[in-house]
Amino acid sequence: MIAFGRALAAELGNSCLITLSGDLGTGKTTVARGLLRGLGYEGRVKSPTYTLVEPYECGGKSIYHFDFYRIENPLELELVGIPELLTLPAIRLVEWPSFAGPYLPEADLQIQLEVAGEGRLVTIKGAKG
């Protein structure tokens, strides 16, 4: 998943919305970590499960890593200003996008992760299908 994230980073521009879906333990945060490494970020990359968002700057790019796993009601996102962050011109990675309800704009890339034996099955859909 680290290698996949690094490879994905090489294909990105300065602004896009990428959703990462899959069960617990399928590698969503690991893909985000690989993507950040691929962009040149060398610091600690942690899951934003409790903070909702972790911002990063590297290689002249702004990156926001969101995790909505703990959201019980999408209105919570509105109350803390997340919808505005989701529309910024930046690379935006969203784990558990289904929990964002109507506040999540259309993704440029939707990545679905599944456990497949000892590996992972990765399905990618672009905004245009």
Side-chain angles (χ1 to χ4, degrees):
M1 297 287 71
I2 292 283
F4 170 69
R6 282 182 181 272
L8 182 60
E11 302 300 320
L12 298 180
N14 290 328
S15 182
C16 62
L17 176 62
I18 300 170
T19 59
L20 300 165
S21 301
D23 292 336
L24 286 170
T26 54
K28 296 176 294 296
T29 299
T30 306
V31 169
R33 186 173 292 119
L35 189 143
L36 282 157
R37 294 286 182 253
L39 293 173
Y41 186 77
E42 296 179 7
R44 183 170 181 242
V45 177
K46 61 182 182 173
S47 172
T49 300
Y50 292 100
T51 59
L52 296 181
V53 62
E54 289 291 331
Y56 300 92
E57 291 286 332
C58 59
K61 296 181 181 187
S62 296
I63 302 100
Y64 292 92
H65 180 195
F66 300 89
D67 185 329
F68 298 145
Y69 180 70
R70 302 222 178 266
I71 296 297
E72 293 182 18
N73 182 331
L75 183 57
E76 295 173 47
L77 299 176
E78 178 75 34
L79 296 175
V80 295
I82 295 293
E84 291 79 22
L85 292 177
L86 287 168
T87 61
L88 288 176
I91 296 171
R92 293 149 289 143
L93 308 171
V94 178
E95 295 186 38
W96 301 98
S98 61
F99 289 33
Y103 298 107
L104 187 67
E106 181 179 10
D108 297 298
L109 286 177
Q110 298 173 16
I111 299 174
Q112 176 71 40
L113 303 172
E114 299 174 56
V115 173
E118 302 221 2
R120 299 293 185 268
L121 174 64
V122 179
T123 305
I124 303 171
K125 286 175 60 175
K128 296 186 172 53

